[in-house]
Amino acid sequence: MFDIDTCLAYITGNSAKKINDALNEWSMNKGITHVQWIALYYVGKYAKINQSELAQFMNLKPSTVALLIDRMEKEEYLMRDRSIEV
């Protein structure tokens, strides 16, 4: 018989949720959201990252990342460079 308490997927999912909740609490205490913190991590790691690359790294839609960057720019967490690629 199936026992959910010993199911690896269930145990892993619960563990990931607990880690995510702890990261959310930590980041909110710093005045930044978990998603903003992750975006800043990638922006810091890859100085010339563009929105499309950031969306790929974060596994988010480009439109979601555009809104995230708009909000972060407004809150002065980062400054967007609107360079044009040819």
Side-chain angles (χ1 to χ4, degrees), residues 51-56 59-69:
Q51 284 182 212
S52 297
E53 294 166 333
L54 184 58
Q56 288 176 342
N59 197 28
L60 296 172
K61 294 178 183 177
S63 58
T64 301
V65 170
L67 293 172
L68 173 65
I69 291 172

Side-chain angles (χ1 to χ4, degrees), residues 27-84:
S27 64
M28 292 304 286
N29 287 335
K30 304 290 184 197
I32 190 168
T33 68
H34 170 227
V35 174
Q36 289 172 331
W37 183 85
I38 292 171
L40 287 176
Y41 167 81
Y42 284 117
V43 168
K45 186 172 181 178
Y46 305 104
K48 297 289 185 180
I49 194 169
N50 64 40
Q51 284 182 212
S52 297
E53 294 166 333
L54 184 58
Q56 288 176 342
F57 281 123
M58 295 182 69
N59 197 28
L60 296 172
K61 294 178 183 177
S63 58
T64 301
V65 170
L67 293 172
L68 173 65
I69 291 172
D70 287 345
R71 186 172 67 245
M72 291 178 71
E73 190 174 32
K74 182 179 179 183
E75 294 173 0
E76 299 181 348
Y77 286 124
L78 53 76
M79 196 166 77
R80 181 184 277 138
D81 178 7
R82 297 182 188 335
S83 58
I84 298 172

